[in-house]
Amino acid sequence: MFSYLRERFTSHLRERSRRRARLVSKDGRCNIEFGNVEQSRFVFLVDIWTTILDLRWRYKMTIFISAFLGSWFLFGLLWYVVAYIHKDLPEFNPSINHTPCVENINGLTSAFLFSLETQVTIGYGFRCVTEQCATAIFLLIFQSILGVIINSFMCGAILAKISRSKNRAKTITFSKNAVISKRGGKLCLLIRVANLRKSLLIGSHIYGKLLKTTITPEGETIILDQVNIEFVVDAGNENLFFISPLTIYHIIDKNSPFFHMAAETLLQQDFELVVFLDGTVEATSATCQVRTSYIPEEVLWGYRFAPIVSKTKEGKYRVDFQNFSKTVAVETPHCAFCLYNEKEAKAKEKKGYDNPGFVLSEVSETSDTKM
């Protein structure tokens, strides 16, 4: 029992030591941090709108509640100060003929309630401003204008956060693994992508970046060097009809960075394949980008994806997402170089080649024999 647990623990530690760092997680989040930034943090306040939108919900709701409560309490204090200076409060024992700046403000609590009623335009009619004080009229106008600004900004930020196309990207899913197999007589890297909504992504475009560490001829080491990876589908990689799951593929030819890789050496490589899908959300006309990544352990050599689309008896097309990431082993060359050499050899076998340098020399026969 202890030996079994020790083996499991050892294998777990070995697997963790082999775990590779990702720049982009499977759900599209970027794993990067900035250090020693010389610019002040106040530069983020210049673009306060983007800063508020990028905040997490708990911080956003804290700012939302604090903005309203803070403004109500601040103006409540100002209304209390106006009533105190004008001696409208009960402790000053105003006369019967005394006209207050604001009716029925008896203390800080009633001043806070009047501030709340003014800013959110409830209008109960119990407390109101009189024409006795110009200061009160100015304060009423100022709070009304500032309240509209706060309402517009905070409610707009909440609405923009809810309707961000980033949430639409969560209904686009990629296969768990990428596969390498033959397609159309060529060795290809294939990835499956699906739209979980019936609404389309207009003008969709798929492309990829291969991230790896390279050393230039000058000896410079470039970490996260980016190499373009072209992905296509049978109908092209522009303006996809993205109503059903699509299988995108990258042709591994002599210009591909996967050309010199083989099935035996794939796991020894150090790269990260990041796949992007850009499109416009049909419902909101907002642009949307979906990202995912694959490391060598998630690229299966010699497999293809299982069928996922079928036709029912009623004439409808059915998509079985149970087989979305399911793969099937197929016969595949262990490297792209071998596949192209095999094709060239077969092509040469089918052709006949003349040898212009071959000359048939005739030997004359003589019957005389000298002794």
Side-chain angles (χ1 to χ4, degrees):
M1 180 66 181
F2 290 103
S3 59
Y4 173 75
L5 293 176
R6 185 171 59 254
E7 291 178 1
R8 289 293 301 272
F9 182 72
T10 305
S11 62
H12 177 70
L13 292 179
R14 192 182 304 113
E15 183 179 353
R16 287 194 60 182
S17 63
R18 292 198 307 264
R19 190 175 299 171
R20 303 173 190 258
R22 288 180 181 270
L23 177 65
V24 179
S25 62
K26 297 296 287 185
D27 57 356
R29 291 177 296 178
C30 295
N31 180 27
I32 190 170
E33 63 179 16
F34 300 99
N36 300 324
V37 180
E38 296 181 358
Q39 293 182 344
S40 174
R41 293 185 180 272
F42 289 103
V43 297
F44 294 100
L45 297 179
V46 177
D47 188 13
I48 186 63
W49 178 253
T50 305
T51 303
I52 293 295
L53 289 183
D54 289 340
L55 289 177
R56 295 186 178 182
W57 274 108
R58 54 179 176 267
Y59 302 125
K60 186 185 294 293
M61 294 306 300
T62 301
I63 295 177
F64 182 86
I65 296 172
S66 300
F68 283 103
L69 290 179
S71 62
W72 296 340
F73 184 74
L74 175 62
F75 280 99
L77 287 177
L78 294 178
W79 287 115
Y80 179 80
V81 170
V82 170
Y84 184 86
I85 294 175
H86 198 255
K87 296 183 178 181
D88 298 335
L89 301 176
E91 55 262 28
F92 292 105
N93 297 318
S95 62
I96 300 176
N97 297 327
H98 179 78
T99 303
C101 292
V102 182
E103 296 282 357
N104 298 311
I105 287 186
N106 303 317
L108 186 60
T109 303
S110 58
F112 174 80
L113 292 176
F114 178 72
S115 173
L116 188 153
E117 295 170 10
T118 301
Q119 188 163 329
V120 300
T121 65
I122 294 178
Y124 289 126
F126 182 67
R127 300 179 182 88
C128 61
V129 177
T130 65
E131 66 274 10
Q132 184 68 24
C133 300
T135 305
I137 297 175
F138 174 78
L139 184 60
L140 176 68
I141 296 173
F142 182 71
Q143 183 178 6
S144 299
I145 295 175
L146 186 61
V148 171
I149 295 175
I150 294 176
N151 289 340
S152 302
F153 184 87
M154 298 309 303
C155 295
I158 295 296
L159 180 60
K161 181 76 171 179
I162 295 174
S163 60
R164 289 185 77 178
S165 57
K166 196 173 183 180
N167 297 326
R168 176 64 174 93
K170 295 180 181 179
T171 56
I172 305 296
T173 181
F174 288 88
S175 57
K176 181 180 178 181
N177 297 303
V179 297
I180 295 179
S181 60
K182 288 173 44 175
R183 185 184 181 93
K186 301 177 181 179
L187 192 64
C188 300
L189 183 142
L190 301 97
I191 297 172
R192 178 172 277 173
V193 58
N195 180 15
L196 301 181
R197 289 186 179 273
K198 292 185 178 180
S199 59
L200 301 179
L201 282 181
I202 304 172
S204 299
H205 174 61
I206 297 177
Y207 58 97
K209 300 286 185 181
L210 188 70
L211 308 178
K212 60 180 182 178
T213 301
T214 58
I215 301 177
T216 63
E218 295 77 17
E220 179 185 3
T221 301
I222 302 177
I223 300 177
L224 298 180
D225 187 22
Q226 300 183 14
V227 180
N228 290 327
I229 302 294
E230 294 294 334
F231 282 97
V232 296
V233 295
D234 294 333
N237 61 344
E238 297 284 350
N239 300 324
L240 303 177
F241 185 49
F242 201 12
I243 192 63
S244 62
L246 297 175
T247 300
I248 62 175
Y249 59 92
H250 164 70
I251 301 176
I252 303 178
D253 53 12
K254 295 181 180 179
N255 298 322
S256 172
F258 294 94
F259 183 77
H260 299 286
M261 300 182 188
E264 297 82 2
T265 62
L266 180 63
L267 296 180
Q268 302 174 6
Q269 304 293 327
D270 185 14
F271 67 84
E272 180 178 354
L273 175 62
V274 184
V275 183
F276 302 86
L277 172 62
D278 296 339
T280 303
V281 181
E282 186 179 27
T284 61
S285 299
T287 57
C288 172
Q289 184 181 87
V290 192
R291 299 180 295 267
T292 191
S293 68
Y294 299 92
I295 56 177
E297 287 81 3
E298 296 170 346
V299 179
L300 306 179
W301 196 295
Y303 288 83
R304 64 173 175 83
F305 291 110
I308 191 175
V309 181
S310 61
K311 196 171 183 179
T312 62
K313 296 180 180 179
E314 294 80 11
K316 295 183 179 180
Y317 292 94
R318 182 176 183 272
V319 180
D320 186 8
F321 280 95
Q322 186 177 1
N323 295 334
F324 180 73
S325 295
K326 186 177 180 180
T327 57
V328 179
V330 293
E331 184 179 354
T332 306
H334 75 283
C335 67
F337 189 74
C338 298
L339 175 62
Y340 290 108
N341 282 349
E342 181 182 352
K343 285 186 176 181
E344 292 178 1
K346 290 183 178 179
K348 289 180 180 179
E349 289 180 359
K350 294 181 180 179
K351 295 181 180 180
Y353 290 89
D354 294 331
N355 185 4
F358 178 78
V359 179
L360 178 62
S361 59
E362 297 181 358
V363 181
S364 58
E365 297 182 357
T366 56
S367 56
D368 297 335
T369 302
K370 294 183 179 180
M371 297 297 294

